[in-house]
Amino acid sequence: MSKSTLLSNWHTMRRVALSIGIFLAVMAVWYQDILTGFLSAFFVFQAVTNTGCMVAQSCGVPKDEDTRSYHEDPEINYTEIK
């Protein structure tokens, strides 16, 4: 992971995920709960690495290289069998 990934593109949902992760980490230590600790690690990991579906554009499907419309009929070649 590069330094630019960690330090750039900090949008609102990424900050919210980091805040939730830190809050859950404090609660995990305070109540000595391992499940909350794993949940906090999940949120912190997503915030730090900017992964997951926190924002609509982060889960986008790559645009298809084929520019042909789906409504166009492809050229069909028929072979007559006798």
Side-chain angles (χ1 to χ4, degrees):
M1 181 180 328
S2 67
K3 186 177 180 181
S4 65
T5 304
L6 292 174
L7 300 177
S8 65
N9 199 19
W10 278 89
H11 45 81
T12 305
M13 281 307 295
R14 194 170 172 188
R15 290 183 182 132
V16 168
L18 183 64
S19 301
I20 290 171
I22 291 172
F23 174 76
L24 289 174
V26 170
M27 291 294 108
V29 171
W30 184 268
Y31 291 111
Q32 298 175 356
D33 184 20
I34 190 83
L35 185 63
T36 308
F38 285 129
L39 189 61
S40 72
F42 173 73
F43 276 103
V44 169
F45 175 78
Q46 279 192 336
V48 169
T49 60
N50 198 20
T51 56
C53 291
M54 294 183 284
V55 186
Q57 68 241 23
S58 66
C59 295
V61 177
K63 187 171 177 142
D64 191 13
E65 296 295 325
D66 187 14
T67 58
R68 187 176 50 182
S69 173
Y70 290 105
H71 299 292
E72 293 177 14
D73 291 330
E75 185 177 324
I76 301 174
N77 297 324
Y78 294 102
T79 305
E80 187 175 336
I81 301 174
K82 295 183 183 183

